[in-house]
Amino acid sequence: MPGVTGPSDYSREPPRHPSLKINAKEPFNAEPPRSALGAAYVTPVEFFYKRNHGPIPVVDDVHSYSVSITGLIENPKQLFLNDIRALPKYNVTATLQCAGNRRTAMSQTRTVKGVGWDVSAIGNAVWGGAKLADVLELVGISKLTGATKSGGKHVEFVSVDRCKEENGGPYKASIPLIQATSPEADVLLAYEMNGEGFFMQKDYKMFPPSVNWDNINWSTRRPQMDFPVQCVICSLEDVNAIKPGKVKVSGYAASGGGRGIERVDVSVDGGNTWVEASRHQKTGIPYIAEATCSDKWAWVLFEALVDVQQSTQIVAKAVDSAANVQPEKVEDIWNLRGILNTSWHRVQVRVGHSNL
């Protein structure tokens, strides 16, 4: 399992953009305004959401950090940044999303546990680094390996950070070894974000609405490793005052597992009738779900021009390339951890002529 070691300075705070909405100060968790997400296909680093489980170290000398690969393997090894940079470099455009994105909307149905995220705990970036499959080959694990000779079946990532929720221990996460060793999976040990250097047993599991904190059994569910289809309107806040007439409705849509976005539908009458939005990733290149020219791990931006003549509810829903569609109501997918709110996104708008 890879574990990171190195000197960390927790006495200084890293710089942060003043427009970030702070959801928790210690540990620091914040999200950008939704308008910032819809403004660019690649999210600037300063507008990327901040999700932390422990204090944030300021790293002055990244070359002094190392990754130790140990566990159920034959040849443990300690790697420094120069060792990893010596491997072939790959750039992958991919969307990261906190499982608790849109948790505040779920809390309106029934109270849930977790950081109160609005709709911006998500971002799209170009990640640069070595493929984890290449890194694991350095310790004798071949491509497309499902288990080591010693019986190891997962790659566990152990942070240098220490977290209160882990009783002072490090934060951990894991993925199956067969995924880590697959070149097609595009799993990176990333050391760049947009060209700049820079716990899974009892958390992030999806339970039905009938489960509460009195009857929960964590062992009955697997950790959430993928994300259902999702879309959010970023061009309008709730509640916006607008003039009657044409209104641009735009935002992001994403699905897990490398699935593309087949369609985004927009309604201006609360979901009774729909129009299809246009979709794009790169400027000047038509987006086609599953096409080789499309970034399969990244979000898709959508846009529709609709006619709004009276105060109403504008709704958006997406369909991915496997024909998965977002559920209509948040009540149907409510869960006590408040994760995976992928219900139709709704924005109330008020149409009027005064003070506009």
Side-chain angles (χ1 to χ4, degrees):
M1 62 180 180
V4 181
T5 59
S8 303
D9 183 359
Y10 293 93
S11 63
R12 293 179 290 152
E13 291 288 316
R16 293 161 181 145
H17 199 277
S19 70
L20 292 178
K21 174 191 172 186
I22 300 175
N23 295 325
K25 291 185 176 181
E26 292 183 3
F28 187 81
N29 288 275
E31 61 185 299
R34 65 177 69 175
S35 58
L37 293 184
Y41 175 60
V42 175
T43 308
V45 173
E46 63 267 27
F47 287 131
F48 219 90
Y49 73 99
K50 318 299 179 187
R51 178 62 177 117
N52 298 289
H53 290 269
I56 301 96
V58 175
V59 179
D60 290 319
D61 183 15
V62 69
H63 294 280
S64 63
Y65 277 76
S66 64
V67 175
S68 298
I69 305 178
T70 61
L72 298 176
I73 58 176
E74 304 297 315
N75 304 300
K77 190 179 289 286
Q78 183 182 32
L79 300 174
F80 288 86
L81 183 58
N82 287 339
D83 300 318
I84 298 170
R85 283 186 180 274
L87 295 170
K89 180 186 176 183
Y90 295 86
N91 287 316
V92 176
T93 303
T95 297
L96 295 189
Q97 180 172 202
C98 177
N101 193 29
R102 302 179 61 196
R103 179 177 279 137
T104 52
M106 191 172 280
S107 291
Q108 293 172 7
T109 297
R110 263 192 292 161
T111 301
V112 298
K113 179 182 178 182
V115 177
W117 298 106
D118 190 30
V119 302
S120 300
I122 187 172
N124 191 51
V126 180
W127 310 93
K131 285 197 176 182
L132 185 56
D134 291 340
V135 175
L136 293 177
E137 278 195 321
L138 298 178
V139 295
I141 301 176
S142 303
K143 301 283 200 308
L144 300 175
T145 296
T148 66
K149 294 179 181 178
S150 302
K153 296 182 179 180
H154 287 77
V155 180
E156 183 182 45
F157 306 91
V158 182
S159 75
V160 68
D161 309 81
R162 302 288 166 168
C163 311
K164 288 183 179 180
E165 62 187 328
E166 295 296 328
N167 297 317
Y171 198 77
K172 304 176 183 179
S174 66
I175 62 173
L177 181 62
I178 190 63
Q179 181 182 9
T181 58
S182 171
E184 299 302 315
D186 288 333
V187 180
L188 296 185
L189 190 58
Y191 47 76
E192 285 183 2
M193 177 182 180
N194 293 349
E196 302 177 25
F198 66 94
F199 83 117
M200 302 294 284
Q201 288 300 314
K202 291 189 176 181
D203 209 352
Y204 300 118
K205 295 184 177 183
M206 183 71 163
F207 288 89
S210 58
V211 173
N212 57 46
W213 294 109
D214 295 323
N215 62 19
I216 189 171
N217 183 350
W218 289 103
S219 64
T220 61
R221 292 294 187 275
R222 60 183 291 274
Q224 190 62 37
M225 302 296 291
D226 210 337
F227 213 96
V229 62
Q230 166 83 286
C231 82
V232 161
I233 298 168
C234 294
S235 58
L236 296 168
E237 295 287 340
D238 192 14
V239 176
N240 265 142
I242 62 174
K243 294 180 180 179
K246 298 295 183 180
V247 176
K248 185 178 80 168
V249 179
S250 61
Y252 65 78
S255 190
R259 296 180 293 275
I261 299 298
E262 188 64 35
R263 199 176 78 240
V264 177
D265 300 323
V266 175
S267 171
V268 296
D269 55 14
N272 292 318
T273 61
W274 302 88
V275 297
E276 186 174 351
S278 63
R279 295 158 294 135
H280 66 279
Q281 286 184 328
K282 303 176 184 69
T283 303
I285 301 177
Y287 172 79
I288 302 173
E290 307 298 302
T292 56
C293 61
S294 300
D295 293 325
K296 66 178 181 177
W297 307 110
W299 67 15
V300 174
L301 302 180
F302 69 87
E303 183 176 320
L305 194 63
V306 297
D307 187 52
V308 180
Q309 295 296 331
Q310 60 187 10
S311 299
T312 187
Q313 184 183 75
I314 299 179
V315 187
K317 63 180 175 69
V319 181
D320 70 14
S321 57
N324 298 308
V325 64
Q326 293 175 248
E328 178 179 353
K329 297 181 295 182
V330 68
E331 291 85 357
D332 295 336
I333 53 173
W334 184 94
N335 60 90
L336 76 174
R337 275 297 279 119
I339 66 171
L340 305 186
N341 180 8
T342 57
S343 59
W344 295 359
H345 189 224
R346 306 168 186 268
V347 177
Q348 298 287 340
V349 294
R350 178 171 57 84
V351 173
H353 297 274
S354 60
N355 300 323
L356 294 176

